[in-house]
Each structure stands twice: as structure tokens, then as C-alpha cells.
Amino acid sequence: PAAALPGRPVATLTGVVKTHGRGPTAARVFDGLDAVFESGRLTVVTGPSGSGKTTLLHLLAGLDLPDAGEVRVAGAEVQALDRAARAELRRREVALVPQQSGLVPFLSARENVELGLEIRGLAADPHEPLAAVGLSERAGQRVSRLSAGEQVRVAIARALAVRPSLLLIDEPTARLDQANALRLATLLTTLARESGAAVVCATHDPVVIEQADGRLSLAGEPVAVG
């Protein structure tokens, strides 16, 4: 997709309600959540464990659906789409970097990016996103031989290669020391500006929070319902 103009809404949540579980074990994670994620900006989603950070990313990716309210991505009302249409929306507009990156350890950094493109049926130069994350010279190295920080950057390069309008990243600095966390946080703000994507990062890392353009703070533990 073409990059949206800087500061334009790429994804919005309006009155989103989400409950996990059923019956006496049901817990309401979101109760009327509103949020806007804009192009060219890094927004961090913060909150304690169990507050719904990963759930929010999955709602934006169409991997989960709200119980009520509206999730809109790139102009599409996500909850109104069937499974196939949500998958197509992800293919065209969204890239998710989960906590477990899913990189193939015996493939090189470049081959992992190429595989990500092939899975989506897209043709693009794998070197460009690797250069964007500072891994041009390590492109031919097996992922298993890269550092934890380099592996995170490969996962981000693989996501960037599909040119998403919405880039979702879950706890990218969890295994990094402070110096590498700062390097990655700075990279994310740069990538948001240069790619035009709305970058949404779930994190509790103060280093990443400090570098962000905006912050969505989730309240805390889910509330029991019923």
C-alpha cells in the first residue's frame, strides 16, 4: 500500500469491549476503549502484565475480534470482514512482529525476509529493509549466529519488507540490554517517519516509552464480569 500522509489515522478503536473467557471465569479486558494510531508515528501501548497489550495488537491485526465497538484499519471495519477478508487485509496493510519472532534459525537474515515475502505472494528487494535496520553486512549470516538484538531487527526487516501501513510489534526489547534497547527504540521512531507506517509497540520498557511519539496506557488487570 502507498504510505499514508504523516499524521493521518491508519487504525482506530471506538468503544471497544473485549472479554476473555466465559461464565464465572470471564474477565473484561477492555470496556469502551478508544484509540487512534497515526501514520509516521511510533505509539507505545503500556500497562502491567495482563492489561491487554497483546490482545490490542491482535485486535488491530484482525486475529481477534471485539465483543462490541469498532476496530478500523486502513479504512476497513475489521469486525465486519469474514476470515478470508481479514487475512487479505493483513496481507495488504498489516505486519505483526510477535514476541516469538518465528524466524527460521538455519536460514540467513536475507532468506528469512525472502520467505516472508514469498508467503504473502509479494515481490520486493529483501536488501532494502535489511539496510533500513542496519543489517546489510549481516544479511548472509544465519539467524542462529546473530545476537538477540540482531534477530529482533531481522524480524522487523521481514515485517517492513511487505510495506505495511500498520506495523505492530510486541515487547521487542524483552531480551535486550539497555544500550541495545535504546538503539532499537531510536530505530523504530526513524522507521515510522521514513516508511510512513503507523508503528504500534506493546512495551513496558521505559527506554522505548521515552522515544515514542505517543502513548496509550492500559489501566491494569482485567475486571471479573458475571
Side-chain angles (χ1 to χ4, degrees), residues 126-215:
H127 295 95
E128 185 178 333
L130 286 166
V133 300
L135 287 178
S136 291
E137 295 183 0
R138 304 285 277 166
Q141 185 67 265
R142 283 186 183 181
V143 163
S144 60
R145 295 182 179 177
L146 298 177
S147 68
E150 288 171 334
Q151 289 181 21
V152 173
R153 284 189 278 154
V154 173
I156 292 171
R158 182 181 59 184
L160 278 176
V162 304
R163 298 181 182 275
S165 60
L166 180 62
L167 174 58
L168 310 170
I169 309 174
D170 199 355
E171 299 283 6
T173 62
R175 296 184 297 135
L176 305 185
D177 60 29
Q178 189 171 18
N180 278 308
L182 176 58
R183 190 173 296 118
L184 183 64
T186 304
L187 173 65
L188 292 179
T189 58
T190 301
L191 291 176
R193 289 178 177 82
E194 292 184 351
S195 71
V199 180
V200 183
C201 179
T203 185
H204 62 271
D205 191 329
V207 171
V208 182
I209 295 168
E210 195 173 280
Q211 297 296 316
D213 300 302
R215 177 178 181 177

Side-chain angles (χ1 to χ4, degrees), residues 49-73:
S49 179
S51 60
K53 296 190 296 295
T54 298
T55 298
L56 176 60
L57 297 187
H58 286 180
L59 288 170
L60 289 169
L63 296 170
D64 202 352
L65 296 174
D67 300 323
E70 180 185 271
V71 178
R72 190 172 287 273
V73 174

Side-chain angles (χ1 to χ4, degrees), residues 82-122:
D82 63 19
R83 186 186 297 268
R86 294 199 305 273
E88 176 60 20
L89 178 67
R90 279 194 297 276
R91 191 187 77 84
R92 289 186 291 105
E93 303 287 351
V94 183
L96 171 64
V97 181
Q99 291 186 42
Q100 303 299 323
S101 65
L103 296 173
V104 182
F106 57 81
L107 295 181
S108 69
R110 181 184 63 253
E111 288 167 338
N112 269 278
V113 174
E114 289 172 340
L115 179 61
L117 288 165
E118 186 175 330
I119 288 171
R120 294 205 186 200
L122 300 173

